[in-house]
Every structure is written in structure tokens, then in C-alpha cells.
Amino acid sequence: MYWCGIQFNKIFEDSVQCGGNELLVQELQCLKDIKTLGVSIKCITALEVLLTSQMLLNSTQSLLLHNCTLQFLNLSTFSKMERLDRLGIYRCESLEDMKIDWEWERREQYSQVTCPPDLCSVFLSLGDVNIQHCPKLKDLTGLIFAPKLYRLRIWKCEGVEEIISAEKLVDAPDVVKCLQPFLKLESLDSRAFPKLKNIYPKPLPFPCLKSIKVSKCEELKKLPVSSKITRIGPNLTIKGSKILVE
């Protein structure tokens, strides 16, 4: 039900797909043995109910937030979705920030350890992230907590200036600063970012990277790759777009 009630569907007033999918989430709660769940959420109320159900948290593998009216999204609230593999955020036009609580509940487990990437991960299984039409969003710094991220697609988020914010990393605990994001990343697709200036503050290894697509990002002058650090494979494809000057 990842696209349930979102696209190419006629919604009937008395169906579970109407409104913000509150009825859908309520009915899912009545089921007793859900193994794997892919679901779409269209309002804050439905999301809050989903996040309070341990059964739904345990079974959610794919989550789509569509047209939700929220200004801030605390990514730390997804830490209990240990099976979450795919996250989509579409047309959340009021969304400004995807926050991370640097002092979340597992902080005591790694307080004395130098660099424990597994314990620092909010997203234990997240691999596929797709964010589209969120014009007020500024950055996606929370993705440093997704060590298994293999595909990142960001389209038409006109307010994004950095994918990973250097300023936010400065304010993060030392254990977070030593994380290396995008080690599993295979595909990066960014389109229509008129303000995008930086993807990451410094060059990265990118040992698995196969494809980079950058389109309509006129302010982006440099990719986070370096011949000294980046282990570029023989099949890496980089695609861009021409800037037409009148």
C-alpha cells in the first residue's frame, strides 16, 4: 500500500483511503500478524498513530509521507523502525527541516566508544530515499545516520543549499563527526536545485558509487570526489545538464 490513495486511484468517501489515511492506519492496527508493511501517510494524525503502534513500527518496510502539513520532521522518531528500507517524502511543501536529536535514547551505549557506526545509526536498514517537491527544505543532514543508503533521489527541492550541512556537523557530538556517510551509495540523482552549492563538505570514498546525475543545479561547482580519496570504479557514470545562457 505504498502508493495507496496517492496516485491514479479514485478515492471513495467511505473508503480507508480517504482523508489523510487515518482510517487505513486504524484498520492496520486491528490486524494481529503483519509481517511486512508498505504504507502511505497523508497527515500528521495518521503518522502519530503509526509511530505509537509497536506492531506497525516493527513491520514497516516502506513509508511514504505525501502532502503532510508539517514544518519539522524529527528523524529520530523513526529509530524504532528497524526494518525501514524505503522512505519517500513527496509534496510536503511546508517542511523546512529534517531534525536529528543528537542525544537520542541510545547515546549511553556509545558514550565511551570512539566511532561505532552501527550504534550511531538511526536508520538501521534504510537503503532507498526519495524526496520530491519540498521547496522549503534546506538540507538532508540526517542521512549521515543511514549507513546502508544505496540510492538517493532528490527532485525539485528549491530551498536545498547543501545535502549534508557543514554547519550542523560542527554542532554535532564528536562521535557523529567521525561518521562516513554514503559508503554504500550506488546512485545519486539530484534535479532542479537552483540554490544547491554543496553535497558534502569534504571528499568521500564512495566505494560503491555507480551513477551520479545532476540536473539544473547551477550553483553546484564541485562534486565531493577526489582522485586521492575516492575509489571510483570502472563503471561510474556521471551525467549533467547544460546551462543555457542567453
Side-chain angles (χ1 to χ4, degrees):
M1 293 180 290
Y2 186 73
W3 281 103
C4 180
I6 301 296
Q7 192 177 43
F8 308 125
N9 289 321
K10 183 177 180 180
I11 308 301
F12 295 95
E13 292 184 0
D14 59 346
S15 75
V16 295
Q17 301 176 34
C18 66
N21 278 8
E22 301 101 319
L23 294 177
L24 173 62
V25 176
Q26 290 175 10
E27 292 221 356
L28 289 173
Q29 285 186 298
C30 297
L31 303 178
K32 296 182 179 180
D33 195 22
I34 299 178
K35 299 298 184 183
T36 303
L37 174 65
V39 65
S40 298
I41 299 296
K42 297 187 288 184
C43 74
I44 302 301
T45 303
L47 179 61
E48 290 175 347
V49 174
L50 177 72
L51 294 175
T52 57
S53 170
Q54 192 61 49
M55 178 187 65
L56 298 182
L57 289 173
N58 293 340
S59 60
T60 299
Q61 191 172 35
S62 301
L63 176 64
L64 174 63
L65 304 181
H66 186 277
N67 203 27
C68 291
T69 305
L70 72 169
Q71 186 175 3
F72 303 107
L73 180 63
N74 188 351
L75 295 178
S76 304
T77 58
F78 297 140
S79 61
K80 295 182 180 180
M81 289 186 178
E82 297 186 357
R83 298 186 61 194
L84 184 64
D85 172 70
R86 179 169 57 162
L87 175 64
I89 304 177
Y90 286 23
R91 299 191 181 279
C92 296
E93 297 185 355
S94 60
L95 179 62
E96 296 181 8
D97 194 6
M98 296 167 62
K99 292 185 174 182
I100 282 289
D101 179 7
W102 301 121
E103 304 296 333
W104 71 86
E105 60 185 18
R106 286 184 286 179
R107 63 189 182 277
E108 295 181 359
Q109 299 182 39
Y110 63 82
S111 59
Q112 304 299 324
V113 186
T114 305
C115 288
D118 292 337
L119 292 180
C120 285
S121 301
V122 173
F123 302 107
L124 298 176
S125 302
L126 186 62
D128 187 350
V129 174
N130 192 342
I131 302 176
Q132 298 187 27
H133 298 280
C134 298
K136 294 185 178 180
L137 192 63
K138 297 294 190 299
D139 63 82
L140 291 84
T141 305
L143 294 181
I144 64 173
F145 292 101
K148 296 182 180 179
L149 185 69
Y150 62 86
R151 181 164 56 199
L152 176 59
R153 184 183 304 146
I154 319 166
W155 292 4
K156 296 186 178 180
C157 297
E158 293 88 347
V160 171
E161 299 179 7
E162 298 176 290
I163 302 299
I164 305 295
S165 169
E167 181 179 351
K168 287 186 177 180
L169 289 183
V170 169
D171 297 332
D174 291 338
V175 70
V176 174
K177 295 176 186 177
C178 62
L179 291 175
Q180 283 195 343
F182 306 142
L183 289 179
K184 300 291 185 181
L185 191 68
E186 298 179 8
S187 174
L188 172 62
D189 188 349
S190 57
R191 305 185 190 183
F193 291 86
K195 296 182 180 180
L196 181 64
K197 297 179 180 179
N198 194 16
I199 292 177
Y200 193 76
K202 58 184 179 180
L204 294 171
F206 287 118
C208 300
L209 193 62
K210 298 177 181 178
S211 173
I212 300 178
K213 296 179 182 179
V214 180
S215 176
K216 297 181 181 179
C217 301
E218 292 84 357
E219 295 296 321
L220 182 64
K221 308 300 182 184
K222 188 177 181 181
L223 296 175
V225 296
S226 168
S227 58
K228 297 180 180 180
I229 298 176
T230 306
R231 300 186 291 273
I232 298 177
N235 298 319
L236 175 63
T237 301
I238 301 178
K239 294 184 178 181
S241 61
K242 291 182 178 181
I243 300 176
L244 300 180
V245 180
E246 296 182 358

Short mmCIF file of all heavy atoms in Angstrom, two decimals, residues 77 81 142 151 226:
data_model
loop_
_atom_site.label_atom_id
_atom_site.label_comp_id
_atom_site.label_asym_id
_atom_site.label_seq_id
_atom_site.Cartn_x
_atom_site.Cartn_y
_atom_site.Cartn_z
N THR A 77 12.48 9.88 15.48
CA THR A 77 11.27 9.14 15.81
C THR A 77 11.16 7.85 14.99
O THR A 77 10.37 6.98 15.31
CB THR A 77 10.01 10.00 15.55
OG1 THR A 77 9.99 10.41 14.17
CG2 THR A 77 10.02 11.23 16.42
N MET A 81 11.90 1.90 13.77
CA MET A 81 11.55 1.19 12.53
C MET A 81 12.79 0.48 12.00
O MET A 81 13.42 0.93 11.04
CB MET A 81 11.00 2.16 11.48
CG MET A 81 9.64 2.70 11.79
SD MET A 81 9.01 3.70 10.39
CE MET A 81 7.39 4.14 11.00
N GLY A 142 20.46 14.54 8.20
CA GLY A 142 20.12 13.32 8.94
C GLY A 142 20.50 12.04 8.23
O GLY A 142 20.56 10.97 8.84
N ARG A 151 20.61 4.29 -2.53
CA ARG A 151 20.02 5.12 -3.58
C ARG A 151 19.40 6.37 -2.97
O ARG A 151 18.60 6.30 -2.04
CB ARG A 151 18.96 4.35 -4.36
CG ARG A 151 18.33 5.16 -5.49
CD ARG A 151 17.57 4.28 -6.47
NE ARG A 151 16.58 3.47 -5.80
CZ ARG A 151 16.03 2.35 -6.32
NH1 ARG A 151 16.44 1.93 -7.51
NH2 ARG A 151 15.12 1.68 -5.66
N SER A 226 37.41 12.99 -5.08
CA SER A 226 38.81 13.37 -5.20
C SER A 226 39.61 12.15 -5.65
O SER A 226 39.37 11.04 -5.17
CB SER A 226 39.35 13.89 -3.86
OG SER A 226 40.77 14.01 -3.88
#
